[in-house]
Amino acid sequence: METVTTIDAIRDRVTGWRRAGQRVAFVPTMGNLHAGHLALVTEARRHAERVVVSIFVNPLQFGAGEDLAAYPRTEDEDARRLAEVGADLLFLPQEREVYPHGRECITRVEVPEVSEGLCGASRPGHFAGVATVVAKLLNIVAPDCAVFGQKDYQQLLVIRRMVRDLDFPVTVVGLPTIREPDGLAMSSRNGYLSREERARAPALYRELGRLAAAVRAGRRDWPALEREAAAGLASAGLRPDYISIRRADDLGPALPDVPLIVLGSAWLGRARLIDNLLIENS
Ligand code: AMP
């Protein structure tokens, strides 16, 4: 696997592959890779002859007071693991390569509706930061397909909407969440948890599972169910940010007889955990 740091180098390699008739799949990440990220790379391999992965801790998607400075950076180990799972090219740009005029005055991509509420309410500007960097990365790499995790479900919908609205010629693939054996969704931020917090962290998955089971069983008193799940999180020692039952296709308010999703976010020590479960045939 080759590692490059410049836009010119990425374009040069991808152009060469295209000339040889090869398809290109792309997996954008912020690094500190775990089995969830590696599953995206393995999925990407199924869609294309060549796989490009980026590692860029995008400052634009972090709010003031968030964990930009503390975000774990483990590029050497990440590159080793990516080579093992068969990535062809790692794009590891410096901030000035991505934001040459500085990050304050960059042209931004705002995705309406689906960016609002849930994580968008707790993290103002976050999804504009995500959409902007993903738009740039898609223009830099120009892949045939790009693979994202359903763990960040709202982010996946933001990207799908942006790709449709702005006509990016790319297929967006979403992959189910990869979990630890006790159900906790894998996340780079799980490394912030103390041993004692780590033992409590699966409560988020557990409460979402209970909530999903109640909805599947036919309960329609959704606000009461959300309150019960939030109380369950609090009694497990987590500080709920939101617990919500929504429509799966656009995250609008839940309705009977459409596919639904339960989503939750909670603070545990320094970590803000997020997770979700799809409810088919609700
Ligand atoms: P991040 O490095 O956190 O920006 O994530 C990069 C990509 O990996 C995003 O598409 C995430 O949704 C995806 N991802 C993160 N954690 C998981 C997981 N546990 N399972 C599947 N995909 C994940």
Side-chain angles (χ1 to χ4, degrees):
M1 185 189 70
E2 188 187 10
T3 300
V4 298
T5 58
T6 66
I7 294 169
D8 284 349
I10 284 281
R11 291 197 164 139
D12 175 70
R13 305 306 184 275
V14 171
T15 305
W17 292 335
R18 272 201 198 301
R19 274 206 201 104
Q22 295 179 323
R23 287 165 302 178
V24 178
F26 175 47
V27 180
T29 82
M30 297 206 301
N32 191 235
L33 303 182
H34 50 65
H37 295 112
L38 301 180
L40 301 186
V41 177
T42 304
E43 175 70 13
R45 282 241 72 94
R46 300 192 331 107
H47 294 268
E49 288 76 31
R50 296 289 185 174
V51 175
V52 181
V53 179
S54 64
I55 295 179
F56 179 59
V57 181
N58 173 34
L60 216 59
Q61 70 190 70
F62 287 76
E66 290 190 352
D67 57 342
L68 174 61
Y71 200 85
R73 287 160 169 88
T74 52
E75 284 94 358
D76 292 345
E77 174 66 8
D78 292 348
R80 200 185 57 70
R81 300 184 76 184
L82 287 172
E84 268 173 23
V85 292
D88 295 284
L89 185 60
L90 170 59
F91 182 41
L92 194 64
Q94 296 286 312
E95 186 179 337
R96 67 179 167 279
E97 184 75 3
V98 180
Y99 300 122
H101 312 297
R103 61 176 100 137
E104 283 74 26
C105 49
I106 178 90
T107 304
R108 271 166 216 259
V109 180
E110 296 267 0
V111 181
E113 296 177 328
V114 76
S115 294
E116 291 149 24
L118 306 172
C119 288
S122 312
R123 306 184 67 189
H126 169 67
F127 286 120
V130 170
T132 300
V133 81
V134 172
K136 284 174 64 69
L137 289 167
L138 291 176
N139 280 332
I140 291 166
V141 178
D144 300 281
C145 103
V147 188
F148 297 86
Q150 286 174 8
K151 188 213 143 211
D152 301 281
Y153 191 83
Q154 191 174 11
Q155 167 176 289
L156 175 61
L157 292 198
V158 165
I159 290 160
R160 284 193 192 283
R161 174 78 185 261
M162 175 188 80
V163 161
R164 200 174 59 225
D165 282 355
L166 299 183
D167 304 301
F168 280 88
V170 67
T171 303
V172 174
V173 175
L175 201 74
T177 303
I178 305 297
R179 301 179 178 282
E180 301 285 358
D182 61 8
L184 176 66
M186 289 192 181
S187 166
S188 304
R189 290 187 167 101
N190 293 348
Y192 296 157
L193 300 171
S194 69
R195 259 176 58 150
E196 186 265 333
E197 288 162 351
R198 174 64 189 80
R200 279 188 282 150
L204 180 55
Y205 174 66
R206 213 168 43 235
E207 288 303 330
L208 289 174
R210 277 201 199 122
L211 187 54
V215 175
R216 275 193 201 102
R219 277 184 64 179
R220 292 287 178 266
D221 50 340
W222 294 318
L225 284 175
E226 291 168 354
R227 281 195 299 275
E228 281 169 29
L233 283 180
S235 64
L238 282 70
R239 186 158 59 83
D241 176 8
Y242 63 78
I243 289 275
S244 198
I245 308 167
R246 300 286 181 107
R247 294 200 297 261
D249 65 339
D250 62 359
L251 297 179
L255 293 171
D257 306 318
V258 301
L260 298 177
I261 182 168
V262 293
L263 308 103
S265 162
W267 283 95
L268 183 54
R270 285 169 57 216
R272 181 175 171 280
L273 308 177
I274 61 170
D275 202 349
N276 64 78
L277 290 173
L278 281 163
I279 307 170
E280 282 86 14
N281 310 318
S282 54

